[in-house]
Amino acid sequence: MTPYRQRDGWPQAVPRWAAIGIFLYLSVFALGFAQLFLVPIVLAFLLSMVFSPVRRTLHRRGLSQGLAAILIMIALLVGLATLATALAVPVSGWLNNATTIERKIETRLNEVSGPFSGFFRAKEKLESMTESDDSDVQKVETQDNTLTRRLASLVPTFITQCLFTLVLLLFLLASGDMFYEKIVHVLPTLRDKKRAVRITQDIERKLSRYLFTITLINAGLGTAVGVAMWLLGMPSPLSFGIIAFLFNFVPYLGALAGIAIASVVALVSFDWLGWPLIVAGTYFFLTTLEGQIITPYFVGRSLRLNTVVVFLTISFWAWLWSVVGMIVAVPLLVAVKALSEHIDRLEPLGHFLAERHAEPPRHDIDPTGD
């Protein structure tokens, strides 16, 4: 790198790598700082991508954009209410019986391995000593009350973000293709107009196809897991189907979390210690079948991504936006990959994001704009 000159003690230019580093740092800081504002916006746009084909189908059948948006919102709210109702009873029961479940897990682990017994006896002795001290009991109660208050304080924020997401989604669906019209109106040349419309349409098409297909696949996986848990005699098999459906939106980590939950419930529900392994193996087999055969076949090779990049992307967005970040990580990666297929300078990025031996399709653009 050639040194840059200074005049009056100030550099005349900033090195390119330094400018890029500062931009990336400020971008990450801004994304983290504006999380409460950006999360519902990103979720609303992703949901609008999912329901855009449905909206267009209803519009072609004679319904107005607004009425189609209202019908979609009603169906979405009914679905969310159904999922929440189905999960409310078993989850509340698990939370209420958390102490009993913990003791059962300790007992079963004592049966599996003797060395754990000393640890659990020491833990029980420490708890009994804590219970004998009134001041310590008061301290524990105060901490529990503080934790309860902190959790309760998050409820208004969660409800506000959900309402913001749903209202914005309604506006996005009711507006139809207004954004395409705005893009055509703002850009100066016909070539730029065509290119921008082509890029936005391709990104929307790929995101919509990906999210809508993944939703259907996850619904099928949830049904298969629920039926399998019912055949195995697991309690609340419907809950495990819903958990599989929701958790599978997070690649890799969602399946592992579902397997862990099913294993713990099987551990405290059955007497034979082999049942947790059978339940975990069944769950793992179904998720592996979905991830290695069904999803690649229906999603298509054009959206296949580098698995290492996917894992790192999920980890980054999980660190930045927690659970919501894990959900939006892959759709955002799909959008970046689709964008790279239209811009020559981003073509190396598209090759890097694609899986091995996958050639990203090229969308040749006529330089004349015709």
Side-chain angles (χ1 to χ4, degrees):
M1 182 181 64
T2 58
Y4 51 89
R5 300 179 180 177
Q6 294 188 359
R7 183 174 62 185
D8 298 332
W10 293 94
Q12 291 183 342
V14 177
R16 184 177 180 181
W17 61 267
I20 294 176
I22 294 173
F23 173 77
L24 292 177
Y25 175 80
L26 293 178
S27 298
V28 173
F29 176 80
L31 289 173
F33 180 77
Q35 174 185 356
L36 294 178
F37 176 72
L38 293 178
V39 163
I41 294 178
V42 174
L43 285 177
F45 272 94
L46 290 179
L47 289 174
S48 67
M49 296 290 182
V50 175
F51 295 111
S52 290
V54 181
R55 173 186 56 80
R56 292 193 179 97
T57 301
L58 294 176
H59 184 60
R60 286 194 296 267
R61 296 295 178 87
L63 296 180
S64 63
Q65 301 282 3
L67 183 57
I70 292 175
L71 292 178
I72 292 174
M73 292 299 300
I74 293 175
L76 177 61
L77 291 175
V78 171
L80 293 176
T82 303
L83 293 178
T85 303
L87 282 177
V89 176
V91 171
S92 61
W94 295 341
L95 293 177
N96 293 332
N97 299 323
T99 304
T100 304
I101 293 174
E102 180 183 1
R103 292 175 180 174
K104 287 184 178 180
I105 294 175
E106 293 177 356
T107 303
R108 303 310 299 273
L109 290 178
N110 280 330
E111 297 175 4
V112 175
S113 179
F116 286 99
S117 58
F119 170 76
F120 290 130
R121 283 197 300 268
K123 180 176 181 295
E124 292 175 357
K125 184 177 180 180
L126 180 61
E127 290 178 351
S128 62
M129 294 174 59
T130 304
E131 292 175 358
S132 63
D133 191 346
D134 294 337
S135 62
D136 290 342
V137 172
Q138 183 65 30
K139 181 179 180 180
V140 172
E141 290 178 352
T142 303
Q143 290 179 348
D144 290 340
N145 293 333
T146 302
L147 179 61
T148 303
R149 288 195 298 268
R150 290 180 62 183
L151 293 176
S153 65
L154 297 177
V155 174
T157 302
F158 176 76
I159 295 176
T160 301
Q161 286 191 314
C162 290
L163 291 177
F164 183 34
T165 301
L166 293 176
V167 172
L168 180 58
L169 175 61
L170 177 62
F171 288 151
L172 290 173
L173 293 174
S175 63
D177 297 326
M178 180 187 66
F179 283 98
Y180 293 148
E181 299 172 0
K182 296 296 183 181
I183 291 174
V184 172
H185 179 73
V186 170
L187 294 178
T189 65
L190 180 61
R191 176 189 175 186
D192 293 337
K193 295 177 189 293
K194 288 185 176 182
R195 175 179 296 182
V197 170
R198 193 175 298 134
I199 292 175
T200 53
Q201 286 179 342
D202 187 55
I203 292 176
E204 182 188 87
R205 176 179 59 84
K206 288 189 175 182
L207 272 179
S208 176
R209 182 177 64 181
Y210 172 79
L211 294 173
F212 192 74
T213 305
I214 288 297
T215 301
L216 294 179
I217 292 175
N218 290 351
L221 175 65
T223 302
V225 170
V227 172
M229 296 299 105
W230 174 71
L231 293 176
L232 293 174
M234 288 283 287
S236 304
L238 178 61
S239 302
F240 289 102
I242 298 175
I243 288 174
F245 166 73
L246 296 176
F247 282 22
N248 206 53
F249 281 99
V250 180
Y252 312 130
L253 301 180
L256 294 177
I259 292 172
I261 294 175
S263 301
V264 171
V265 174
L267 184 65
V268 300
S269 301
F270 299 108
D271 295 329
W272 183 45
L273 295 178
W275 276 114
L277 297 178
I278 295 176
V279 171
T282 303
Y283 200 119
F284 177 77
F285 170 76
L286 293 175
T287 54
T288 302
L289 181 66
E290 173 270 329
Q292 299 299 322
I293 298 177
I294 298 177
T295 297
Y297 178 79
F298 285 99
V299 172
R301 296 189 62 84
S302 60
L303 294 181
R304 297 289 295 274
L305 300 169
N306 188 327
T307 55
V308 177
V309 175
V310 171
F311 182 79
L312 293 177
T313 303
I314 293 173
S315 302
F316 170 76
W317 286 102
W319 166 74
L320 195 64
W321 285 356
S322 187
V323 178
V324 178
M326 292 188 289
I327 296 175
V328 304
V330 177
L332 292 177
L333 198 61
V334 171
V336 173
K337 182 174 179 292
L339 180 64
S340 66
E341 296 171 0
H342 291 270
I343 301 177
D344 294 335
R345 292 185 177 180
L346 296 180
E347 184 177 358
L349 177 62
H351 283 282
F352 180 76
L353 297 180
E355 67 173 1
R356 179 178 296 178
H357 305 310
E359 292 291 336
R362 296 298 302 156
H363 299 268
D364 295 329
I365 300 175
D366 188 358
T368 62
D370 298 330

